[in-house]
Amino acid sequence: MTTLSIFHQSQPDEARTVMTDPGAIGDALARHGVRFEQWPTRDLPADASQEQILEAYSEEVARLKQECGFQTADVISLNPDNPQKEAFRQKFLDEHTHSEDEVRFFVRGQGLFYLHFGDQVYALLCQQNDLISVPDGTRHWFDMGPEPQFTCIRLFTNPEGWVASFTGEDIASRLPRYEGLAGVAG
């Protein structure tokens, strides 16, 4: 279940608010300029190729490209048997920003986005069919967990893809990781 947990940065051990209603989650995130949507499920084989996935969601991807000026879309997938899973996890665990919106649509699996707004941190556990668009300049990080299992469509305005600017803050190390929050969902 998609879950939004809101923490005060001075009390990182206890969420002040936990939401599971998609409408309430969307409203809470929209106040900070974050786009949250849930797209309909498409019937895809478990081993669907990037081309099959992009074709299945072509209408939604085309709409976002037109609305937001995205130039490229691709698919990223990670499974627990990937020998580099820990290195991939570490790459995204520190707070950073981007000079473009970070957009992810979860075709399968789940992952945890942390969004840092002032003295609050919003931890959004995204699930299959969730779309999140984190506005450029927003301080955030991502935790895929120790046994990642997800497939996401990514959209970019920069053809170079994912480029991060790390803040050097240690806030990410003070909040519960995926292992502690993924259980909130269910």
Side-chain angles (χ1 to χ4, degrees):
M1 172 183 312
T2 304
T3 305
L4 177 63
S5 303
I6 302 173
F7 296 84
H8 192 280
Q9 69 181 17
S10 68
Q11 297 175 322
D13 294 332
E14 185 177 329
R16 297 170 73 188
T17 305
V18 177
M19 299 177 194
T20 57
D21 175 69
I25 290 171
D27 291 345
L29 293 171
R31 287 191 282 277
H32 296 283
V34 176
R35 182 179 196 149
F36 173 77
E37 299 174 2
Q38 292 185 315
W39 292 355
T41 301
R42 302 289 193 262
D43 188 24
L44 292 166
D47 62 347
S49 68
Q50 172 171 287
E51 292 76 21
Q52 289 172 307
I53 292 169
L54 290 173
E55 175 60 30
Y57 290 97
S58 62
E59 289 181 29
E60 291 88 349
V61 169
R63 175 178 52 88
L64 285 180
K65 282 182 171 181
Q66 183 175 14
E67 284 178 23
C68 305
F70 297 116
Q71 299 298 308
T72 62
D74 70 7
V75 175
I76 185 169
S77 190
L78 202 60
N79 292 308
D81 62 352
N82 187 305
Q84 296 178 330
K85 65 185 178 189
E86 185 56 31
F88 283 126
R89 184 182 190 195
Q90 291 302 315
K91 178 179 179 178
F92 306 112
L93 275 178
D94 288 326
E95 185 182 70
H96 58 274
T97 62
H98 301 285
S99 61
E100 68 174 326
D101 294 358
E102 181 168 347
V103 181
R104 300 292 180 269
F105 170 70
F106 284 79
V107 175
R108 71 171 179 88
Q110 64 183 20
L112 189 55
F113 274 91
Y114 296 81
L115 310 162
H116 188 184
F117 305 116
D119 60 1
Q120 294 188 322
V121 176
Y122 286 47
L124 178 65
L125 180 63
C126 292
Q127 303 273 325
Q128 180 181 12
N129 301 333
D130 288 346
L131 172 109
I132 183 172
S133 180
V134 179
D136 66 27
T138 301
R139 297 161 76 102
H140 69 283
W141 62 97
F142 178 73
D143 190 351
M144 63 186 72
E147 297 296 323
Q149 187 156 4
F150 64 87
T151 299
C152 288
I153 295 174
R154 307 182 301 175
L155 291 105
F156 299 101
T157 53
N158 179 350
E160 294 176 30
W162 192 87
V163 179
S165 202
F166 291 92
T167 67
E169 298 291 327
D170 71 345
I171 184 81
S173 67
R174 292 185 275 138
L175 264 68
R177 295 238 189 257
Y178 177 94
E179 299 88 331
L181 289 180
V184 169

